[in-house]
Amino acid sequence: MPVSAPKFNMFTFFKLPSAWWCGVRVQYVDQKKAIVTVRHRWINQNPFKSMFWAVQGMAAELTTGAMMISQIKESGKKISMLVANNNANFSKKATGKITFVCEDGHKIKEALDKTIATGEGETLWMQVVGSNTDGVVVSTFNFEWTVKLKH
């Protein structure tokens, strides 16, 4: 059974409450693409009248993590996942509703197939772009995920 956006939002309420209270919400997730949104509000602001960078990071990571969790579940195997590295670029103040999109889901299947076949850990980089309602990019995140078959 595929993992849905509403299920991920319930997951964030119980397992990632800081993201949920800041307004981070999964809008769409499938095997290739995920979309997460967050709106600039009082609770997630910085002193410069825009969204705090860490809130953007939570939304961006969840965009990649939602696809990772979904594909691991679909594999039927016990596989650990962890962000090993990340970097980000902030190009404009994040105000209003910010939409984070990742279309690197195809990379996950390749890494999972390799770790299942070899038993060795695999790494993959995934990129997430955050844009405002005008389509202007406000931030770009890159996450290095590691996956490994549990024994």
Side-chain angles (χ1 to χ4, degrees):
M1 179 163 143
V3 180
S4 66
K7 286 182 184 178
F8 270 107
N9 292 328
M10 186 173 290
F11 171 81
T12 62
F13 179 78
F14 290 105
K15 299 294 186 180
L16 301 168
S18 59
W20 193 87
W21 285 108
C22 285
V24 175
R25 299 292 185 272
V26 175
Q27 300 299 321
Y28 178 84
V29 61
D30 69 15
Q31 302 303 307
K32 297 178 183 175
K33 180 180 182 178
I35 301 170
V36 173
T37 60
V38 61
R39 185 175 298 281
H40 173 233
R41 302 180 315 171
W42 174 83
I43 198 166
N44 62 27
Q45 70 181 340
N46 63 29
F48 310 107
K49 299 180 182 174
S50 64
M51 191 181 300
F52 184 50
W53 71 267
V55 175
Q56 293 180 64
M58 286 190 293
E61 182 186 357
L62 184 57
T63 308
T64 61
M67 286 189 290
M68 187 73 70
I69 290 167
S70 180
Q71 289 195 40
I72 288 172
K73 184 175 179 173
E74 189 175 282
S75 78
K77 303 289 186 183
K78 290 187 177 193
I79 298 172
S80 64
M81 56 184 263
L82 182 68
V83 172
N85 205 344
N86 79 302
N87 61 59
N89 179 35
F90 302 92
S91 49
K92 184 159 178 65
K93 286 176 93 169
T95 57
K97 185 177 181 181
I98 308 302
T99 301
F100 293 88
V101 178
C102 178
E103 297 182 290
D104 287 344
H106 63 281
K107 294 179 180 180
I108 298 169
K109 180 160 176 30
E110 295 170 17
L112 294 179
D113 287 347
K114 284 182 187 176
T115 199
I116 290 167
T118 67
E120 298 295 318
E122 291 292 323
T123 63
L124 64 143
W125 280 93
M126 299 175 74
Q127 185 174 76
V128 181
V129 177
S131 303
N132 64 21
T133 53
D134 294 329
V136 176
V137 173
V138 299
S139 57
T140 304
F141 287 82
N142 296 290
F143 294 96
E144 181 186 30
W145 282 94
T146 63
V147 292
K148 187 173 183 181
L149 194 61
K150 293 180 183 179
H151 297 295

